[in-house]
Amino acid sequence: MIAKPSTRERKRSEGRRKPLPGERASGSDGRPRWLKPDELARLSSIELRARGVVEGFLQGLHRSPFIGYSVEFSSHRRYGPGDDLRHVNWKLFARQRKLYVKEFDAETNLNLYLFVDASRSMQCKIDGAMSKHDYAATLAAAFASLALKQRDAVGLGLFDDGVHRYMDPSAKPGRWEDCLALLAEPRESNTTALAKSLEQAAALAKHRGIVVILSDLVDGDIDGFTKGLQQLRHRGHEVIVFHLLDPFERHLAEGGRYRVLDLESSSELTTNMESVRNDYLNKINQWCERLDDACLLQGVDRIELTTDVPPTGALVEYLVQRSN
């Protein structure tokens, strides 16, 4: 029982103009309305650093699995013909009368893979400031902006019952605008299939980096979800899951009669909240605990957010905690 708008919400929204099919909801500057420049400015002093080794092609902020020359010392090795004399440890030579060359950990750029849930359930907006999809899109845009400023490469995919749209990682000029265009693209979404989507994501994310999944995780297949995380981790990725929920579906109303709609199956139910709330909260808490266990088992961060929390503020808080 996740992501179900109520009749009360429908009454509040009467008279509002909804975007026509295929119409992009954008502001006067052409950017999507869910994207606020003042919120993105909060990320200006934050860095996104990989916790493990990554593979890239440009000099950057992140530790590489390859040996190169940077500021972080790694080890010594015996001098060989052709080695640069600038990297000989002359102090060690003075003590041992043997030539050794300093080696350093190479630093590289990061591949950031963003996978955004575009299924029907992500259109839910009841008590939140924005729909779950718009919230996910805002977080994805903020992640992309942050990474590109660091010269990291950004890839983006949309999924529902599989990954249907995908852009390979790139740090080229205009990549952020490409991401915004894809995130704002209207789509006839389907039901969620996490296992299949994560399996495809693992196949698409070819080089080690950070994989960020933004979804409400509603399909209920926790075993499939766990298997998908396992495949991503097996390929050497660091994985971050942003679990996004509307406040109504996370906490439920304390009382009142509601007609609720399941956005993925289109089934409807009319009920009194007093009669179902305790059982509902027990089940959703158990569900979140199982998701936590699945993520913990795979060494994956799961960040649960409700859409009444400012998205970039939540991202800043996570990145600060992550850096400590």
Side-chain angles (χ1 to χ4, degrees):
M1 184 178 171
I2 310 296
K4 302 174 176 64
S6 66
T7 51
R8 183 176 299 177
E9 169 64 16
R10 292 178 181 175
K11 290 179 180 178
R12 286 203 301 263
S13 64
E14 284 181 359
R16 297 178 188 170
R17 180 185 176 276
K18 296 183 178 179
L20 298 173
E23 179 183 9
R24 289 178 56 182
S26 59
S28 58
D29 60 356
R31 291 182 178 177
R33 289 182 185 143
W34 40 260
L35 188 63
K36 298 180 180 179
D38 57 329
E39 290 190 351
L40 289 178
R42 299 186 62 186
L43 300 172
S44 59
S45 61
I46 301 294
E47 289 182 348
L48 173 64
R49 285 182 176 264
R51 288 174 175 163
V53 295
V54 298
E55 297 173 5
F57 303 98
L58 302 174
Q59 183 178 358
L61 298 173
H62 315 282
R63 188 159 62 91
S64 168
F66 310 110
I67 297 296
Y69 294 111
S70 71
V71 296
E72 187 174 346
F73 174 75
S74 174
S75 61
H76 285 102
R77 65 172 173 82
R78 292 293 294 269
Y79 175 83
D83 284 335
D84 193 332
L85 291 176
R86 291 177 300 174
H87 301 292
V88 171
N89 190 332
W90 294 109
K91 291 183 179 179
L92 189 60
F93 173 77
R95 294 195 303 270
Q96 299 187 11
R97 312 307 296 178
K98 294 180 181 179
L99 291 174
Y100 288 91
V101 176
K102 296 177 182 178
E103 289 188 316
F104 300 85
D105 282 333
E107 291 182 342
T108 183
N109 71 316
L110 168 77
N111 285 314
L112 175 66
Y113 302 91
L114 300 165
F115 289 96
V116 178
D117 189 344
S119 62
R120 288 194 187 102
S121 64
M122 293 293 287
Q123 300 302 321
C124 175
K125 178 184 175 182
I126 306 173
D127 289 340
M130 58 180 72
S131 71
K132 290 184 290 184
H133 177 268
D134 287 354
Y135 197 94
T138 302
L139 283 174
F143 259 116
S145 174
L146 181 60
L148 290 168
K149 286 179 181 177
Q150 299 176 174
R151 299 182 66 209
D152 291 329
V154 176
L156 173 64
L158 304 182
F159 70 91
D160 39 47
D161 60 355
V163 179
H164 294 283
R165 295 294 308 276
Y166 179 71
M167 299 188 301
D168 282 319
S170 173
K172 68 179 182 181
R175 171 42 55 116
W176 194 59
E177 286 74 15
D178 293 342
C179 291
L180 295 185
L182 183 56
L183 290 168
E185 193 174 278
R187 171 170 175 73
E188 289 294 329
S189 57
N190 298 303
T191 56
T192 311
L194 282 174
K196 180 181 177 182
S197 297
L198 295 184
E199 179 183 359
Q200 293 178 352
L204 290 166
K206 297 176 182 178
H207 300 284
R208 280 184 290 183
I210 297 179
V211 174
V212 179
I213 300 162
L214 302 118
S215 173
D216 55 12
L217 310 177
V218 300
D219 80 342
D221 182 9
I222 294 182
D223 290 338
F225 173 66
T226 304
K227 183 179 179 182
L229 294 180
Q230 186 177 18
Q231 289 176 310
L232 287 165
R233 294 290 289 145
H234 179 72
R235 291 178 176 264
H237 298 295
E238 180 182 349
V239 183
I240 305 170
V241 176
F242 281 87
H243 185 194
L244 311 177
L245 298 168
D246 187 274
F248 183 91
E249 63 183 347
R250 183 62 181 93
H251 306 294
L252 214 60
E254 294 185 0
R257 186 172 179 83
Y258 283 77
R259 181 164 62 93
V260 292
L261 169 68
D262 186 331
L263 291 174
E264 299 219 343
S265 69
S266 298
S267 60
E268 293 187 12
L269 174 69
T270 301
T271 185
N272 289 311
M273 290 300 161
E274 296 94 332
S275 63
V276 301
R277 189 168 189 266
N278 288 339
D279 186 51
Y280 176 87
L281 292 179
N282 286 334
K283 288 184 176 180
I284 197 170
N285 287 334
Q286 291 173 7
W287 175 57
C288 288
E289 288 173 3
R290 290 186 63 195
L291 291 171
D292 264 337
D293 291 342
C295 290
L296 184 63
L297 181 65
Q298 300 301 325
V300 170
D301 284 349
R302 171 184 167 268
I303 301 92
E304 181 183 315
L305 295 172
T306 53
T307 54
D308 56 342
V309 177
T312 49
L315 179 56
V316 168
E317 182 179 352
Y318 168 69
L319 292 176
V320 169
Q321 291 176 352
R322 171 191 173 88
S323 65
N324 293 334

